[in-house]
Amino acid sequence: MLRLVVPLLILLSLTMSVGWSAPGDIHIAIETKRTALVILVDKDQNPTVVHVGPKLDRADEYAKISGNGKRGEDYTGLYNSAYTPAGSRNLLEPAIQVTHADGNPSLDLRYVRHERKPVGEGIVETTVFLKDPQYPFEVELHYKAYLLEDVIEQWSVIRHTEKNSVVLHKYASANLYIPAQHYYLTHFHGDWAQEMNPVEEPLTEGLKVLDTKLGTRADLFQPPSFLVALNQPAEEDKGEVVAGTLAWSGNYQIAFEVDPLHNLRLMAGINPYASAYTLAPGKEFATPAFLYTYSNTGKGTASRNLHRWARKFRIPQGEGNRLTLLNNWEATYFDFNEEKLTELFKDGKKLGVDLFLLDDGWFGNKYPRNNDRAALGDWQENVKKLPHGLGYLVKQAEEAGIKFGIWVEPEMVSPKSELYEKHADWVLKLPNRQEYYFRNQLVLDLTNPKVQDFVYGVVDDIMTKNPTLSYIKWDCNAVIYNAFSATNPNPSHLYVDYVRGLYKVMERLRTKYPALPMMLCSGGGGRVDYGALRYFTEFWPSDNTDGLERVFIQWNYSYFFPAIATCNHVTDWGKQPIKFRTDVAMMGKIGYDIVVSKLDEKELEFSQQALKTYDQIKDVVWHGDLFRLVSPYEADLASLMYVNDAKDKAVWFSYLIKNRYRAGSVAPIRLKGLDPARNYAIRELNVYPGTKSAINATPQVYSGNYLMTIGFNPTVDTRRTSVVLELSESK
């Protein structure tokens, strides 16, 4: 009953949150449980953002927020526009830029009306309707507030009824305005096997732009996720911070502009680069969603908000289960046959995983897939490697006692393939330029409905023939070079229509196979965003599976994405002990990519027991709240913990990340998220065979108050490089 009462109370306050500060002035408050975004509409019907931050206790006081909250008057009255138009009196970076059917390059957007309605349990959507006074050109600003999660999802819808088409040159999803004394942007950069390296820098007057122009695999250099701290650098549990991410799998642009009044303007959306979009009369253009959350209690709260939202509202089966797996890639690469694979099935069963995943190399006959230079697009089983087909493997795996999954990369094509020979017009490439390859492949034209049908058919055909096949790993290794479609009549629509075509394919697949687990892979973390994660149950953060590197990579993904969606595999890439690699993989969805037969007796025993232990703690890791305790960027170790909703169980991970003399946990670490009034028993997990834990030798029981005030030393050092502790309520 309480779950229903709380949203209803919040909804009641929302219905009262339209106030009046002066004749003709309207305040529109988009509220969650703790935060608010307030739009002021003045007497001239200009919509401006006047507040992004904590929710006011009294809804009627939003009417007292004036337009000059931006700390001074600007020349235009548009610095803090809710959706800044270009070409009229605006002097700064616009959110939208168009050319009307008559050639006029200006736009003026005035408030018409707004409406608010519940669209699900604990979700309220506010729509603000804007219109150009001189042209039949309209924009809807949509704000979907997830009340208990303190997340706002924002997007725009553009339409017109002019006599001919209008050209959209820029079309942001969101335009925020945030006054503060100082701004500190944390963004992330990288490359293959070097994903999610953080940089924190102050924002000063001018424009800072995060973007990508890669078309596919768009996150390769720069993911569309960021943190902005206000007034002072944000800490884990202190400070004001906005965490944002764009739900789009293609080219994006996120711009941060500190205006002449030293206020922050933020615009996020599709990258306008080479993407002028011709919009016909009566049609509409919907932008992707920009997701953000505000916290005045540090980065930890912001990330927990996003995690709860993602698990409940975005990721398929986000509050459900996941499969552990054994992958053959690092065991065999392209060199395998039925006999080798069926032996690996037995290894998977011996290890204790749920599923065996067959990776790249299983297809192609005229051009066999024996390396990465051929056969993409020819999705028939290779008769030499798999003479009895996939169906035989599915059956053999099931007889061995595990499920079977398959790797595909259906968006790409090898120039050396039958598909390329038959359908060169299905490939994105310029007709008068030399072909240029990324990992020896090209990208199929998903703006073409025939190609969409083909890509959908790749997976649908596999599933139709093998209905008990239990997992799909969907890869995407190429970027778009020489961007041109032979069939798209609007060349500048390519980058936008490609992603929309991909989403159409995924929508069809999810409709037909709603429960099918699917991994989002892109040569590692080249495509990790909440647009794609509407369809995929999990993602592959990086091809770099070195245990030490993964501590940092997974740490930074955790600011935006929950553990249940993060695939972490134990492999032989790193030089760390198998215990360290396993412990690191456990702070997410664990998998294996090792040769089980090469494990020694103790390694196998440890791994088998670790999977049994994982089965006991996975619910806390996947569905609990994450609390970062010690940052690997500030100490000799990384330490973090997951606490379940009931606060009666927690799992605590600590890893040594520096190997210098006396490095380690030299003092107690203060815990977080516990109930101070309860007592907790501490037990060490994943103790390696032949070793003993001093923590387990005698009962360790402490109050939550003690653990969060004084702390506990997990004793991480060069002899104990990784420690996993379980906290259970002791009554």
Side-chain angles (χ1 to χ4, degrees), residues 21 66 109-110 131 194 197 258 274 287 339 376 399 444 474 509 597 692 702:
S21 59
S66 62
L109 292 175
R110 304 298 175 104
K131 184 182 180 301
Q194 300 178 75
N197 298 292
V258 178
T287 68
E339 184 178 357
L376 278 181
E399 289 182 359
L444 292 175
W474 184 299
L509 286 172
S597 61
K692 295 182 179 180
Y702 303 87

Short mmCIF file of all heavy atoms in Angstrom, two decimals, residues 21 66 109-110 131 194 197 258 274 287 339 376 399 444 474 509 597 692 702:
data_model
loop_
_atom_site.label_atom_id
_atom_site.label_comp_id
_atom_site.label_asym_id
_atom_site.label_seq_id
_atom_site.Cartn_x
_atom_site.Cartn_y
_atom_site.Cartn_z
N SER A 21 3.82 34.52 -10.64
CA SER A 21 4.61 35.53 -9.95
C SER A 21 4.23 36.93 -10.39
O SER A 21 4.52 37.90 -9.71
CB SER A 21 6.10 35.31 -10.22
OG SER A 21 6.36 35.36 -11.60
N SER A 66 12.17 34.37 -9.94
CA SER A 66 12.09 35.34 -11.03
C SER A 66 13.07 35.01 -12.14
O SER A 66 14.00 34.23 -11.97
CB SER A 66 12.37 36.75 -10.50
OG SER A 66 13.70 36.81 -9.99
N LEU A 109 10.46 30.75 -30.80
CA LEU A 109 9.59 29.76 -30.17
C LEU A 109 8.95 30.37 -28.94
O LEU A 109 9.64 30.78 -27.99
CB LEU A 109 10.39 28.51 -29.79
CG LEU A 109 10.91 27.68 -30.96
CD1 LEU A 109 11.79 26.54 -30.46
CD2 LEU A 109 9.76 27.14 -31.81
N ARG A 110 7.62 30.44 -28.92
CA ARG A 110 6.86 31.00 -27.81
C ARG A 110 5.95 29.94 -27.21
O ARG A 110 5.45 29.05 -27.90
CB ARG A 110 6.03 32.20 -28.28
CG ARG A 110 6.81 33.31 -28.95
CD ARG A 110 7.83 33.95 -28.02
NE ARG A 110 8.66 34.94 -28.69
CZ ARG A 110 8.50 36.25 -28.55
NH1 ARG A 110 7.55 36.73 -27.76
NH2 ARG A 110 9.30 37.08 -29.19
N LYS A 131 5.55 27.37 -30.21
CA LYS A 131 5.22 27.62 -31.61
C LYS A 131 5.88 28.92 -32.06
O LYS A 131 6.02 29.87 -31.29
CB LYS A 131 3.70 27.72 -31.81
CG LYS A 131 3.26 27.88 -33.26
CD LYS A 131 1.76 28.01 -33.37
CE LYS A 131 1.33 28.16 -34.83
NZ LYS A 131 1.95 29.36 -35.47
N GLN A 194 40.95 0.67 -23.76
CA GLN A 194 41.32 1.75 -22.85
C GLN A 194 40.09 2.61 -22.53
O GLN A 194 40.18 3.83 -22.44
CB GLN A 194 42.39 2.63 -23.48
CG GLN A 194 43.68 1.92 -23.84
CD GLN A 194 44.67 2.86 -24.49
OE1 GLN A 194 45.29 3.70 -23.84
NE2 GLN A 194 44.82 2.73 -25.79
N ASN A 197 38.34 6.49 -19.36
CA ASN A 197 39.33 7.20 -18.56
C ASN A 197 38.77 8.56 -18.18
O ASN A 197 38.42 9.36 -19.05
CB ASN A 197 40.62 7.39 -19.36
CG ASN A 197 41.25 6.07 -19.73
OD1 ASN A 197 41.72 5.35 -18.87
ND2 ASN A 197 41.23 5.73 -21.01
N VAL A 258 29.57 28.29 -20.75
CA VAL A 258 29.49 29.25 -19.65
C VAL A 258 29.26 30.62 -20.29
O VAL A 258 30.10 31.12 -21.03
CB VAL A 258 30.76 29.24 -18.79
CG1 VAL A 258 30.67 30.28 -17.68
CG2 VAL A 258 30.97 27.84 -18.19
N ALA A 274 27.12 16.87 -40.49
CA ALA A 274 26.71 16.17 -41.72
C ALA A 274 25.33 15.55 -41.59
O ALA A 274 25.06 14.50 -42.18
CB ALA A 274 27.74 15.08 -42.08
N THR A 287 13.53 13.58 -31.12
CA THR A 287 14.94 13.44 -30.75
C THR A 287 15.09 12.33 -29.72
O THR A 287 14.13 11.95 -29.04
CB THR A 287 15.48 14.75 -30.18
OG1 THR A 287 14.85 15.01 -28.91
CG2 THR A 287 15.23 15.92 -31.12
N GLU A 339 34.19 -31.31 -32.23
CA GLU A 339 34.78 -32.10 -31.15
C GLU A 339 35.35 -31.19 -30.06
O GLU A 339 35.13 -31.41 -28.86
CB GLU A 339 35.88 -33.00 -31.71
CG GLU A 339 36.48 -33.93 -30.66
CD GLU A 339 37.55 -34.84 -31.26
OE1 GLU A 339 37.77 -34.79 -32.47
OE2 GLU A 339 38.16 -35.59 -30.48
N LEU A 376 31.92 -12.12 -43.01
CA LEU A 376 30.84 -11.39 -42.36
C LEU A 376 29.74 -11.13 -43.38
O LEU A 376 29.99 -10.59 -44.46
CB LEU A 376 31.34 -10.07 -41.79
CG LEU A 376 32.03 -10.10 -40.43
CD1 LEU A 376 32.43 -8.69 -40.04
CD2 LEU A 376 31.14 -10.71 -39.36
N GLU A 399 22.52 -31.57 -23.56
CA GLU A 399 22.78 -32.90 -23.01
C GLU A 399 23.90 -32.87 -21.99
O GLU A 399 23.93 -33.68 -21.04
CB GLU A 399 23.10 -33.89 -24.14
CG GLU A 399 21.89 -34.23 -25.00
CD GLU A 399 22.21 -35.25 -26.08
OE1 GLU A 399 23.39 -35.67 -26.17
OE2 GLU A 399 21.28 -35.62 -26.84
N LEU A 444 26.91 -2.26 -43.17
CA LEU A 444 25.71 -2.38 -44.00
C LEU A 444 24.81 -1.16 -43.81
O LEU A 444 24.83 -0.51 -42.78
CB LEU A 444 24.94 -3.65 -43.64
CG LEU A 444 25.61 -4.98 -44.00
CD1 LEU A 444 24.78 -6.15 -43.48
CD2 LEU A 444 25.80 -5.11 -45.51
N TRP A 474 25.76 -9.71 -29.55
CA TRP A 474 25.65 -8.88 -30.75
C TRP A 474 26.84 -7.92 -30.79
O TRP A 474 26.95 -7.03 -29.97
CB TRP A 474 24.33 -8.12 -30.70
CG TRP A 474 24.01 -7.27 -31.90
CD1 TRP A 474 24.71 -6.21 -32.38
CD2 TRP A 474 22.86 -7.40 -32.75
NE1 TRP A 474 24.09 -5.66 -33.47
CE2 TRP A 474 22.95 -6.38 -33.73
CE3 TRP A 474 21.77 -8.26 -32.77
CZ2 TRP A 474 21.98 -6.21 -34.71
CZ3 TRP A 474 20.82 -8.09 -33.76
CH2 TRP A 474 20.91 -7.07 -34.71
N LEU A 509 12.96 -7.60 -32.98
CA LEU A 509 13.50 -8.77 -32.29
C LEU A 509 12.98 -8.86 -30.86
O LEU A 509 12.61 -9.93 -30.39
CB LEU A 509 15.03 -8.72 -32.30
CG LEU A 509 15.70 -9.03 -33.63
CD1 LEU A 509 17.19 -8.75 -33.56
CD2 LEU A 509 15.45 -10.48 -34.05
N SER A 597 40.45 -26.77 -18.81
CA SER A 597 41.33 -27.94 -18.66
C SER A 597 42.74 -27.56 -18.25
O SER A 597 43.51 -28.41 -17.78
CB SER A 597 41.36 -28.74 -19.97
OG SER A 597 41.88 -27.94 -21.02
N LYS A 692 43.83 -19.59 4.89
CA LYS A 692 42.84 -19.35 5.93
C LYS A 692 42.59 -17.85 6.06
O LYS A 692 43.45 -17.04 5.77
CB LYS A 692 43.32 -19.92 7.27
CG LYS A 692 43.45 -21.43 7.28
CD LYS A 692 43.87 -21.94 8.65
CE LYS A 692 43.98 -23.47 8.66
NZ LYS A 692 44.41 -23.96 10.00
N TYR A 702 29.55 -6.29 14.34
CA TYR A 702 29.62 -4.87 14.66
C TYR A 702 28.28 -4.23 14.33
O TYR A 702 27.54 -4.70 13.46
CB TYR A 702 30.71 -4.16 13.85
CG TYR A 702 32.09 -4.74 14.02
CD1 TYR A 702 32.52 -5.80 13.22
CD2 TYR A 702 32.97 -4.22 14.96
CE1 TYR A 702 33.79 -6.33 13.36
CE2 TYR A 702 34.25 -4.73 15.11
CZ TYR A 702 34.66 -5.79 14.31
OH TYR A 702 35.92 -6.31 14.46
#
